[in-house]
Amino acid sequence: MSTLGDATTAQSSTNNSNFTLLLILSKKKLVGPNYMYWMRNIKMNLRYEGKEYVLDKPLLEVDESTATSEELATYKQHYDDATKVACIMVATLVPEFQKFYEDCWPYEMCLDLVEKFHKKARQERYDVLKMLMAYKLKEGEFVCNHVQRMQRYVERLEKLNASFEKELAIDTILNSLLPSYDQFILTYHLNNMETTLT
């Protein structure tokens, strides 16, 4: 009797875990520009569940009359995993996207989403990074305005999931200053100032 109770508790715990996971994922729904962040979360959670393979492997039908019992079992497992993952993925999309993907398998959904959003996000990240690197302080321009604008570029890169460490951001800004700031930059580095980008 206690074994049955333990099994029921374990099953309930697993279901609660999956339900909680879905709630966590659905708080950050895919809206387009956050594609990379959303996909990273999906992959991380599927890796934990041992179901990440459904994103990379299409679900191929098997002929039940000629398939071995092992092939049938593998297909059934893939079918079940793909169904659950598809439900989670669609549930974490904004309603406008849900209608396009509600009948898709995870593999097909991934191919389409990569085509729509990954390339666009990567291009935008490249453009912002290019502007950040090319932006230099002009003679007579207020340093405060210059730094604020560069900070906005860094924040935009972070929103596009580009890992831009604090020290690299500060070094990039220091590099954008005029030669007349060389003494300030030298003093900054010599003093090992602990500072934020702000």
Side-chain angles (χ1 to χ4, degrees):
M1 188 72 164
S2 64
T3 308
L4 179 59
D6 292 345
T8 306
T9 304
Q11 181 62 38
S12 173
S13 173
T14 302
N15 288 341
N16 287 342
S17 169
N18 290 339
F19 185 67
T20 304
L21 181 64
L22 182 56
L23 286 175
I24 291 167
L25 283 171
S26 63
K27 285 182 181 176
K28 290 287 187 182
K29 293 192 174 219
L30 174 66
V31 293
N34 67 336
Y35 166 78
M36 290 186 193
Y37 171 83
W38 175 83
M39 182 52 79
R40 187 171 64 237
N41 277 343
I42 291 283
K43 285 185 174 185
M44 197 180 322
N45 286 291
L46 293 183
R47 190 172 304 141
Y48 175 78
E49 295 287 335
K51 295 177 176 27
E52 189 180 13
Y53 73 96
V54 301
L55 300 177
D56 305 315
K57 188 176 175 186
L59 180 63
L60 302 173
E61 296 285 334
V62 293
D63 184 352
E64 290 185 33
S65 62
T66 59
T68 66
S69 58
E70 188 178 299
E71 289 172 332
L72 287 171
T74 301
Y75 171 77
K76 171 132 179 43
Q77 184 64 53
H78 191 159
Y79 181 91
D80 290 345
D81 288 346
T83 300
K84 289 173 186 168
V85 171
C87 290
I88 288 173
M89 288 176 76
V90 171
T92 60
L93 300 174
V94 290
E96 307 90 84
F97 297 150
Q98 285 178 346
K99 61 185 175 186
F100 294 114
Y101 297 107
E102 61 187 353
D103 296 320
C104 286
W105 290 113
Y107 176 77
E108 287 83 17
M109 206 183 305
C110 275
L111 289 179
D112 195 58
L113 289 170
V114 163
E115 188 65 34
K116 281 185 178 158
F117 300 117
H118 179 73
K119 290 177 183 175
K120 187 189 287 185
R122 186 162 183 207
Q123 181 62 47
E124 185 178 354
R125 193 173 61 208
Y126 171 77
D127 292 340
V128 174
L129 184 62
K130 188 175 173 183
M131 286 187 285
L132 173 68
M133 298 310 232
Y135 194 60
K136 302 289 183 192
L137 179 66
K138 296 175 182 65
E139 200 68 59
E141 184 182 2
F142 288 114
V143 176
C144 185
N145 295 346
H146 172 76
V147 172
Q148 286 174 344
R149 182 162 183 180
M150 292 195 79
Q151 187 174 358
R152 286 195 295 272
Y153 286 140
V154 170
E155 288 166 358
R156 183 68 194 132
L157 286 169
E158 287 170 350
K159 285 180 183 170
L160 291 165
N161 293 315
S163 55
F164 215 76
E165 292 181 14
K166 179 187 79 169
E167 288 181 359
L168 180 59
I170 290 171
D171 288 344
T172 303
I173 291 172
L174 292 174
N175 185 56
S176 72
L177 299 176
L178 292 165
S180 57
Y181 285 87
D182 285 351
Q183 186 59 48
F184 166 78
I185 294 168
L186 181 63
T187 305
Y188 172 84
H189 285 298
L190 287 174
N191 291 330
N192 286 325
M193 291 181 183
E194 194 60 39
T195 185
T196 64
L197 188 57
T198 307

